[in-house]
Amino acid sequence: MQLTLTVNGTARTFDGDPAMPLLWYLRDGLALTGAKFGCGTGVCGACTVHIDGSPARACTTPMKSAAGKTVVTIEGLDAAHPVKQAWQEINVPQCGYCQTGQIMSAAALLASTPKPDDEDIDAALRGNICRCGTYQRIRDAVKKAAGVTA
Amino acid sequence: MNTVIIPVSRRGFLKGLVSAGAFVLGARVLPLEALAAAQASTAPWEPSVYLALEPDGRVLIIAHRSEMGTGIRTVLPTIVADELDADWDRVEIVQALGDKKYGSQNTDGSCSIRDFYVAMREAGATARLMLERAAAAQWNVPASECRVQLHTVGHQASGRSAEFGALVTAASALPMPAKEELRFKQPSEYRYIGKNVPIIDLEDLCNGRGTFGMDAVVPGMVYATIERPPVLGATLKSHQDAAALKVAGVEQTVVLETTGYPVGMKMLGGVAVIARDTWSAIRGRQALKVEWDLGPHASYDTAAFKKTLIATARQPGRVARSGGDVDAALASATRRHEATYYTPPLSHAPMEPPVAVASVKDGKAEVWAPTQNPQAVQSVVAAALGITETDVICHVTLLGGGFGRKSFPDYCAEAAVLSQKIGKPVKVVWTREDDIRHDFYHGECAMHMQGGLDAQGKPVAWLQRSVFPPIGSIFNVEEQYGGGQLNMGWTDVPFAISNFRAENGPSEAHVRIGWLRAVANVHHAFGVQSFIDELAHLAGRDPIEYWLETLGASRKLDAELKAQGYELRGLSGQPQFVPDTARLRRVVELVRDRSGWATRKTAPGHGWGFAAHRSFFSYIATVVEVRVDDDGTVHIPRVDMAVDCGLIINPDRVIAQFEGAATFGAGVAMVSALSAQGGRIREGNFHNYQVPRIHQAPLRTHVHIVETTEPPAGVGEPGVPPVAPAICNAIFAATGKRVRELPVGKVT
Ligand code: FES
Ligand code: FES
């Protein structure tokens, strides 16, 4: 079965295992390694991408449900995006492994909730684990990107 | 440490990194042990740091430490660049290969800055002086009148100046200056040290361009996942791979021999599924049928083991330090108090699970891996393949977290052996379940404490016993005692209690035990810092006041520790690193004053707790505020940490490490625990092995840094130990419930 989808603006065709998670298609198939593998079960957020504008865990999204959808990964999110900029201004990353997923979740939050408060941030980002413990700066960076005072 | 700066002309192993016309200096760092030993004269101690000045004006700094989030790959080079007064925009940082020539590259023990600070400065100052001399010779002026200013040598009187690049060839022909001739910058002249130079990978990391081990790709490589022995020491009884081989994309299966004892850092063995992509390898493995002979460690059950450890802790153990007569003092004390604490096994769970790519051809191996210890990769891979270490090249990728797990290169050996067997480059991917079930764990620990107070409530007797499966057990199956781990927060307790005894009881190990961020300091600080808080409350005293009184007069502890049977050796015995209670007192007072301890509010459900601990030569004091909901949920609105970690190169990265430590410690206190049944670890992923999430982490951590010129000390680890006891002491203040077992979960 052949299926099509759009990844970062490019039309793609996929004819492999329709049960294959989008994450492995992105990483092994398209060499888009910005979405990370952290758990494979949807509980860490490292693989977060946008599907039709909503945040989604690529590791638990089978290719068949990505068919016909528009996927944006960290590589496809504008480098000038306020979230990416705020992340750099506040020096959020330590090891950085979780940060692409954090940024994608944060960007999706701001798209739906332009002025989030602490509870909105907790709700949107509690699915994204950072083992290095950068949460305080993540919170500050989200607020900075949103233009709300920390 | 002793350093030597040398010109580098034989530079075979720098090939491809620097150009033929470059001026290259190397800084050799000789560890004290090497100086003391006879090997000092014979060991080929090659430079551990390379500084190359290119004719085109670029300055290359070869960074030999692994980057796992501390910023070290950026911070060490800033020291060289500062002393050289190079323009940071024209500095390029090159990641070193794993090679003995760099001296130790093991990035653990929070030692990178401490060990290499001096060498980095000397390298920079040497190059600067040689550039000045080269310019002076060209201009026929005294070298003392030439000065480097931001990548340029200038001579004020004549108004001449030349860029570094133009002087490189001449400088490289000059004799090396003697150490005594070097001039070091004054702190007021620092351009980068003490400033917050952003990490070089920042933009890449925020755009998905950082290359971690998980992202490494080698042409022609195949992917592997491995079904490993579910119990330590289990052996393969049978396996059926017919169904696995039918999975699309699966190419073959390979049996890897299981490890004998001692397990060391070797690979565990098992059955590997080789496939054309990661997903096929995962699917193929799900279709494998494998039976094991489980062996003796199938008896491991954490609930029963905990009882054994606690029973052992209640018995006399091996004395590790003893002063005065504890038994008599306990017997005659006005009040006596005892408590038993328990901390569970923990897993590192770095966000990037172990992963490695290896290509083995013609008796040589090349490995790409996120490793804290590339030289251990060389030796473990060489041993597994039966080749020599020098035939193993290790490329160090970025690490998606390490926390000690990635000091153990078992996963690299797996990739190498598979590549050798099938004749192709192989990438071994660990799933999260593999990571949590086959870690080198932080072992559980039971601690039993007894204290005696005099009529004024002052502690006059202190007995403490610690029992935990030691790291030494992976190297020697007979090892049941803590060894060096006892010197992590146990034998080095700084209190001035005239009758003091520290003991250690024996424990078997049923899983692989390893180093986890701050190692035994984590559980020892929990026991000691909880018990002193218990005594303070028993005496009806303010916990910080009581703590400072018990700390006693300002002094260095080497003499009294030695008199009580614990002699500080090596680096620990160097005057600048001997435990100093004055530095400890300073951070305690600082955190007390900055946190607002004296005026803390006492709203219902709110409580403040305190703990302080020295480890990795750094002194940390912590105040934590908690809020406990009616249903027992604990929130941590605020953490204050006062930090004396010696001279600081990059304050922002130091602060970040302590913010991270507050969260890591909150995980230890509140949510993280493993359990085993039938020898198997039951947890497998983040739904049941919990680590802190954003809503569970401290909302705000304030880091207060002591300005000092003491030598740089540890930063990555020492923030962790005081956090859990401070949280638990705060929970006591809030609720009256004393936590003696971690993790807390909810307060019930
Ligand atoms: S890898 Fe997808 S949520 Fe963890
Ligand atoms: S920065 Fe390392 S896991 Fe988040």
Side-chain angles (χ1 to χ4, degrees):
Chain A
M1 190 188 77
Q2 190 160 309
L3 55 88
T4 56
L5 70 167
T6 305
V7 180
N8 296 338
T10 307
R12 300 280 181 183
T13 324
F14 174 81
D15 59 3
D17 178 2
M20 181 196 267
L22 172 63
L23 177 65
W24 298 117
Y25 173 63
L26 294 172
R27 293 181 53 82
D28 293 348
L30 301 182
L32 290 170
T33 55
K36 299 299 182 197
F37 170 61
C39 69
T41 59
V43 295
C44 80
C47 64
T48 305
V49 297
H50 295 169
I51 300 181
D52 287 350
S54 299
R57 307 297 185 224
C59 71
T60 50
T61 304
M63 286 306 290
K64 60 175 177 286
S65 47
K69 304 273 169 72
T70 296
V71 176
V72 175
T73 70
I74 186 79
E75 292 92 341
L77 187 73
D78 188 355
H81 191 287
V83 168
K84 284 188 175 177
Q85 291 304 312
W87 242 250
Q88 291 169 64
E89 281 160 33
I90 291 181
N91 290 322
V92 176
Q94 287 187 27
C95 82
Y97 194 79
C98 74
Q99 298 296 344
T100 50
Q102 307 276 4
I103 288 170
M104 294 307 279
S105 291
L109 166 66
L110 294 193
S112 63
T113 312
K115 301 284 172 203
D117 62 16
D118 279 329
E119 278 180 26
D120 297 327
I121 293 172
D122 281 355
L125 289 168
R126 64 191 286 164
N128 288 80
I129 297 174
C130 175
R131 189 65 166 136
C132 298
T134 63
Y135 297 121
Q136 169 171 330
R137 293 189 191 220
I138 287 172
R139 189 181 297 281
D140 290 350
V142 170
K143 290 182 180 174
K144 177 158 205 158
V148 299
T149 39
Chain B
M1 295 287 160
N2 193 13
T3 59
V4 187
I5 308 299
I6 56 164
V8 181
S9 46
R10 294 171 298 118
R11 52 177 85 152
F13 82 104
L14 293 174
K15 206 167 58 202
L17 298 180
V18 303
S19 78
F23 166 34
V24 185
L25 288 179
R28 299 200 294 187
V29 179
L30 304 179
L32 289 167
E33 306 87 74
L35 282 184
Q39 69 185 53
S41 52
T42 55
W45 282 101
E46 293 279 345
S48 38
V49 174
Y50 287 90
L51 169 62
L53 289 88
E54 292 282 359
D56 64 8
R58 286 176 305 141
V59 169
L60 305 184
I61 297 172
I62 320 259
H64 67 305
R65 312 300 286 180
S66 296
E67 182 58 76
M68 51 185 164
T70 61
I72 199 68
R73 197 165 111 80
T74 302
V75 175
L76 278 180
T78 59
I79 303 170
V80 190
D82 204 326
E83 204 56 70
L84 176 59
D85 214 32
D87 177 359
W88 185 246
D89 288 339
R90 285 196 274 173
V91 171
E92 289 176 23
I93 294 169
V94 182
Q95 187 71 40
L97 298 176
D99 199 310
K100 284 256 156 61
K101 292 189 165 117
Y102 292 108
S104 169
Q105 290 175 278
N106 190 4
T107 311
D108 72 7
S110 293
C111 62
S112 297
I113 300 279
R114 185 185 74 217
D115 290 357
F116 296 98
Y117 172 69
V118 174
M120 293 285 169
R121 291 190 69 190
E122 285 184 6
T126 302
R128 172 162 46 76
L129 181 57
M130 291 171 80
L131 289 164
E132 287 168 353
R133 286 181 176 172
Q138 279 180 14
W139 302 333
N140 234 332
V141 298
S144 58
E145 292 176 8
C146 295
R147 275 282 182 276
V148 167
Q149 178 83 28
L150 198 58
H151 232 84
T152 304
V153 185
H155 181 248
Q156 214 180 1
S158 66
R160 306 176 82 148
S161 70
E163 290 234 315
F164 282 1
L167 297 166
V168 159
T169 310
S172 64
L174 294 175
M176 292 291 293
K179 227 178 234 198
E180 305 71 56
E181 297 177 278
L182 299 179
R183 186 183 60 82
F184 293 99
K185 279 189 177 180
Q186 293 302 308
S188 61
E189 298 175 273
Y190 289 153
R191 198 181 282 282
Y192 311 118
I193 293 176
K195 314 288 185 329
N196 295 324
V197 176
I199 57 169
I200 53 168
D201 301 303
L202 183 59
E203 197 184 333
D204 282 349
L205 291 174
C206 293
N207 284 281
R209 290 194 303 264
T211 303
F212 295 88
M214 194 59 83
D215 308 326
V217 170
V218 170
M221 77 181 189
V222 290
Y223 298 75
T225 61
I226 301 174
E227 185 70 23
R228 298 177 185 80
V231 173
L232 184 67
T235 50
L236 187 63
K237 192 149 78 180
S238 69
H239 77 286
Q240 289 169 22
D241 60 5
L245 292 169
K246 283 204 194 98
V247 171
V250 171
E251 297 183 353
Q252 66 185 110
T253 64
V254 178
V255 173
L256 293 173
E257 252 173 72
T258 43
T259 315
Y261 294 105
V263 291
M265 298 189 178
K266 293 178 288 192
M267 65 176 189
L268 286 169
V271 183
V273 176
I274 312 287
R276 67 173 176 219
D277 55 50
T278 316
W279 174 242
S280 305
I282 291 172
R283 285 286 292 254
R285 180 169 158 212
Q286 286 163 354
L288 268 185
K289 290 209 172 25
V290 183
E291 280 192 76
W292 304 93
D293 275 321
L294 295 180
H297 293 301
S299 65
Y300 181 43
D301 176 305
T302 35
F305 196 65
K306 172 179 159 187
K307 291 194 183 119
T308 308
L309 291 190
I310 288 174
T312 308
R314 291 184 193 280
Q315 300 297 319
R318 223 186 233 182
V319 175
R321 176 184 153 193
S322 175
D325 186 340
V326 169
D327 300 323
L330 277 173
S332 63
T334 308
R335 298 180 75 172
R336 289 171 56 173
H337 184 59
E338 64 173 62
T340 303
Y341 302 92
Y342 172 79
T343 57
L346 300 172
S347 179
H348 302 80
M351 285 316 293
E352 176 196 43
V355 59
V357 180
S359 175
V360 179
K361 248 199 313 223
D362 309 326
K364 294 192 195 297
E366 212 166 345
V367 178
W368 294 259
T371 177
Q372 291 174 246
N373 194 351
Q375 289 171 20
V377 172
Q378 287 184 294
S379 58
V380 171
V381 165
L385 297 177
I387 63 176
T388 60
E389 287 177 24
T390 47
D391 283 331
V392 180
I393 293 175
C394 178
H395 302 266
V396 181
T397 65
L398 292 178
L399 282 72
F403 313 114
R405 173 62 182 92
K406 292 171 183 168
S407 293
F408 298 95
D410 53 331
Y411 50 102
C412 302
E414 291 173 341
V417 171
L418 285 172
S419 175
Q420 188 184 46
K421 282 187 194 271
I422 71 173
K424 292 179 194 169
V426 175
K427 178 177 196 167
V428 169
V429 175
W430 285 46
T431 64
R432 179 58 60 194
E433 289 77 9
D434 293 338
D435 173 50
I436 288 178
R437 296 196 175 130
H438 301 289
D439 197 358
F440 287 80
Y441 301 97
H442 182 93
E444 55 269 77
C445 179
M447 289 164 286
H448 178 72
M449 328 279 294
Q450 295 181 16
L453 307 185
D454 69 11
Q456 284 73 47
K458 180 176 142 59
V460 289
W462 179 293
L463 168 67
Q464 55 177 30
R465 299 196 189 109
S466 168
V467 185
F468 53 91
I471 295 169
S473 63
I474 65 173
F475 302 109
N476 170 12
V477 282
E478 307 293 323
E479 187 57 80
Q480 299 206 345
Y481 289 93
Q485 292 160 84
L486 294 177
N487 302 335
M488 298 177 144
W490 203 243
T491 48
D492 51 353
V493 168
F495 297 138
I497 301 173
S498 35
N499 303 287
F500 178 97
R501 194 161 77 231
E503 299 179 7
N504 173 222
S507 169
E508 294 183 338
H510 296 293
V511 290
R512 301 190 292 182
I513 307 291
W515 300 275
L516 173 125
R517 192 175 187 178
V519 201
N521 289 292
V522 178
H523 46 249
H524 288 153
F526 174 63
V528 172
Q529 298 301 311
S530 295
F531 195 61
I532 186 74
D533 194 71
E534 293 204 30
L535 296 185
H537 284 283
L538 198 67
R541 299 285 309 281
D542 174 82
I544 295 185
E545 238 177 62
Y546 190 79
W547 200 102
L548 284 173
E549 274 174 31
T550 309
L551 182 65
S554 288
R555 66 208 189 279
K556 297 220 176 186
L557 291 180
D558 45 349
E560 72 193 57
L561 291 179
K562 187 174 176 187
Q564 298 180 19
Y566 168 37
E567 187 174 355
L568 298 166
R569 294 208 176 84
L571 202 56
S572 306
Q574 295 295 299
Q576 68 272 35
F577 291 122
V578 164
D580 181 347
T581 62
R583 293 177 71 183
L584 201 42
R585 172 175 296 274
R586 193 185 311 147
V587 290
V588 173
E589 290 172 347
L590 184 63
V591 83
R592 178 195 63 194
D593 298 344
R594 294 287 181 85
S595 66
W597 174 266
T599 55
R600 61 193 183 278
K601 61 175 188 282
T602 46
H606 277 258
W608 290 47
F610 163 79
H613 188 79
R614 168 193 172 276
S615 62
F616 305 95
F617 310 119
S618 289
Y619 301 78
I620 319 297
T622 305
V623 165
V624 173
E625 179 187 1
V626 300
R627 191 185 81 237
V628 184
D629 290 347
D630 290 341
D631 73 351
T633 306
V634 177
H635 305 268
I636 308 172
R638 177 169 172 167
V639 172
D640 284 80
M641 294 184 117
V643 172
D644 173 358
C645 56
L647 182 79
I648 285 175
I649 312 300
N650 188 319
D652 180 69
R653 288 301 86 196
V654 169
I655 289 167
Q657 282 301 303
F658 286 93
E659 292 167 356
T663 295
F664 201 95
V668 170
M670 301 307 304
V671 294
S672 299
L674 293 168
S675 62
Q677 215 172 29
R680 297 171 196 247
I681 298 296
R682 294 157 72 192
E683 291 72 21
N685 211 316
F686 292 120
H687 66 291
N688 52 13
Y689 183 68
Q690 293 191 50
V691 298
R693 292 173 180 272
I694 191 166
H695 64 291
Q696 297 163 319
L699 188 63
R700 183 80 18 205
T701 298
H702 300 275
V703 181
H704 313 286
I705 290 177
V706 173
E707 283 205 26
T708 171
T709 51
E710 297 282 353
V715 168
E717 298 175 90
V720 173
V723 175
I727 290 172
C728 295
N729 293 339
I731 290 172
F732 179 79
T735 65
K737 304 233 162 80
R738 180 54 69 181
V739 175
R740 297 207 179 101
E741 185 174 329
L742 298 181
V744 174
K746 279 190 177 189
V747 181
T748 49

